[in-house]
Amino acid sequence: MAEVTRVPLQPIAKGSVLKLWLGLLLVVAVAAGLAWWAMPKGVEVDEIAAGKGPNPVVGDVVFVKYTGKLPDGTVFDKSQDMNLPVQGILPEGTPMTLDGVIPGFKEALLKMQKGGKYEVRIPADKAYGANPPSGSPIPPNSDLIFEMELVDFMPEADAQRRVQMIQQLMSGQQQGEGGAAKPATN
């Protein structure tokens, strides 16, 4: 019969099990940190002043006042109020359709309420990514920061109706100023 070689087991050194568990916890913590760092970042919307009422929906025209900045504080864009000859028909601010803006801007607007003021951080992948508009001061793969106020919003059909009202009022004023011939009186 063959004899089995016996290997004597050495006792575990004092503190080795603790070191093993600490090492394992360190590896798990490092892996979790790397996973968090590599995870895509979302749009951050910080409320500065609360708004009221419902949120805009896709298909609405929003009227916003905003300042767009790069992470270093450089202003790359700023809204401008429309100079309309007839006041009160359209709200102040820059009108925009939700489908006509960058994905991060749209995502942020859908979370806002009328009258609210917000600071919005948009990661590069939800902004312009590697292809910013040509001639723009925005570098490729740049995150964007906006200070925004949602002045108002309305369905696109309502906004178009109001624009038509302004056009009709303007054409009526032009006809009145055009010096239409007065009928002769005897």
Side-chain angles (χ1 to χ4, degrees):
M1 210 179 212
E3 189 174 312
V4 177
T5 308
R6 295 182 190 189
V7 178
L9 293 176
Q10 297 290 339
I12 297 175
K14 192 174 186 179
S16 294
V17 173
L18 179 62
K19 290 177 187 176
L20 176 67
W21 281 109
L22 287 176
L24 185 60
L25 286 174
L26 180 63
V27 168
V28 168
V30 168
L34 286 174
W36 178 84
W37 178 77
M39 191 170 32
K41 306 292 185 248
V43 174
E44 295 178 33
V45 179
D46 295 327
E47 186 177 79
I48 296 170
K52 292 182 181 176
N55 305 73
V57 296
V58 174
D60 283 346
V61 174
V62 295
F63 295 84
V64 294
K65 293 182 179 184
Y66 67 89
T67 301
K69 298 178 184 179
L70 298 175
D72 68 2
T74 303
V75 174
F76 66 86
D77 193 13
K78 191 170 187 160
S79 64
Q80 297 184 13
D81 287 332
M82 296 181 296
N83 240 348
L84 298 175
V86 181
Q87 299 297 319
I89 296 177
L90 287 173
E92 292 181 352
T94 300
M96 301 177 180
T97 60
L98 290 174
D99 291 331
V101 297
I102 59 175
F105 207 83
K106 177 181 177 179
E107 187 178 324
L109 284 165
L110 291 171
K111 297 177 182 178
M112 295 181 183
Q113 294 177 301
K114 178 180 173 180
K117 293 184 180 183
Y118 306 87
E119 182 173 281
V120 177
R121 289 179 188 78
I122 302 174
D125 64 323
K126 293 194 177 195
Y128 296 105
N131 302 311
S134 61
S136 162
I138 302 171
N141 299 312
S142 180
D143 295 343
L144 304 178
I145 301 166
F146 288 91
E147 294 171 3
M148 298 174 61
E149 176 185 357
L150 179 58
V151 178
D152 203 352
F153 61 92
M154 64 188 67
E156 189 171 357
D158 190 20
Q160 288 176 351
R161 184 182 55 78
R162 292 177 185 216
V163 167
Q164 288 173 348
M165 285 174 51
I166 292 171
Q167 290 171 338
Q168 288 173 352
L169 289 170
M170 288 175 56
S171 67
Q173 286 177 350
Q174 288 175 352
Q175 287 177 358
E177 294 173 3
K182 293 183 182 181
T185 56
N186 294 3

